[in-house]
Amino acid sequence: MNEARPDIGKARPSTSMARADIAFEVNGAAVSVSVPPVRRLSQVLRDELRLTGTKVGCDAGDCGACTVLVDGEPVCACLVPAASVSGASVTTVEGLGNGRLSALQASFLEHGAAQCGICTPGLLVAASALLEHNPAPSEAETQDALGGVLCRCTGYRKIIAAVMDAARREPSKVSAAPHPPAGTFSPYSDG
Ligand code: FES
Ligand code: FES
């Protein structure tokens, strides 16, 4: 027996058009976006603001590739609803060097601390937060601070060495390092 479906042919209430207006700061610049409320911070950074330095690996809070700073604290951007950063200050890998390689980025470059590079932005952001809070971390403290970002390529030793070397250096000696020539590794790599 066929029963008439009372909902067929009728418009259903739709939430697809609902949008949230979000104003926040990214790498020191004020931005505002209008996005669906469920949009993740990682999606807003990459898709709306074209800050593709922030990588997405698992999209589930496991790999740490999407690590950014929210008000100075590292978070997985794939787990953060974009609407929750309204009024906050977000720092991505693009904001670490202020247009030039930071001491940390230069040290990663010198130590060969990146291979495929998918983890590198997250590691740089997590390490920058570590050095901001603890300018002279021990190896154990460094390992602990970076433990949320997985790397499948390097075995971590060069990464730990790069972070600790950056911590030892005079920032003034490495902060002026030029960008590497085209075709070589860049922590700013797109994609
Ligand atoms: S992409 Fe966010 S933790 Fe893996
Ligand atoms: S360099 Fe490939 S995952 Fe870390």
Side-chain angles (χ1 to χ4, degrees):
M1 175 178 167
N2 291 328
E3 291 186 8
R5 291 270 308 276
D7 54 337
I8 291 179
K10 292 183 179 176
R12 297 181 181 181
S14 172
T15 57
S16 63
M17 298 300 287
R19 301 182 82 81
D21 296 323
I22 309 164
F24 58 112
E25 197 174 271
V26 179
N27 301 330
V31 298
S32 60
V33 295
S34 181
V35 295
V38 295
R39 194 63 62 91
R40 305 170 187 217
L41 177 58
S42 53
Q43 294 173 309
V44 168
L45 291 172
R46 289 181 54 84
D47 301 339
E48 309 290 333
L49 302 176
R50 304 304 301 159
L51 292 169
T52 54
T54 298
K55 305 305 182 203
V56 173
C58 65
D59 221 6
D62 292 326
C63 73
C66 63
T67 301
V68 300
L69 303 181
V70 175
D71 290 336
E73 296 300 324
V75 299
C76 290
C78 73
L79 295 183
V80 175
S84 72
V85 304
S86 184
S89 175
V90 174
T91 303
T92 69
V93 68
E94 289 92 342
L96 295 184
N98 198 21
R100 304 182 72 84
L101 292 182
S102 69
L104 194 55
Q105 289 168 313
S107 190
F108 265 60
L109 185 60
E110 291 172 17
H111 284 268
Q115 289 184 29
C116 80
I118 189 74
C119 68
T120 310
L123 284 165
L124 287 166
V125 169
S128 71
L130 167 68
L131 298 183
E132 184 68 25
H133 296 303
N134 181 0
S138 66
E139 184 169 337
E141 289 170 332
T142 305
Q143 290 176 352
D144 190 51
L146 303 186
V149 186
L150 303 182
C151 177
R152 298 295 187 194
C153 304
T154 65
Y156 296 101
R157 298 196 66 82
K158 292 179 179 179
I159 293 168
I160 300 298
V163 174
M164 298 195 67
D165 198 21
R168 279 192 292 267
R169 293 181 183 210
E170 289 288 327
S172 61
K173 292 183 181 175
V174 289
S175 62
H179 281 287
T184 61
F185 159 74
S186 168
Y188 294 106
S189 59
D190 197 1

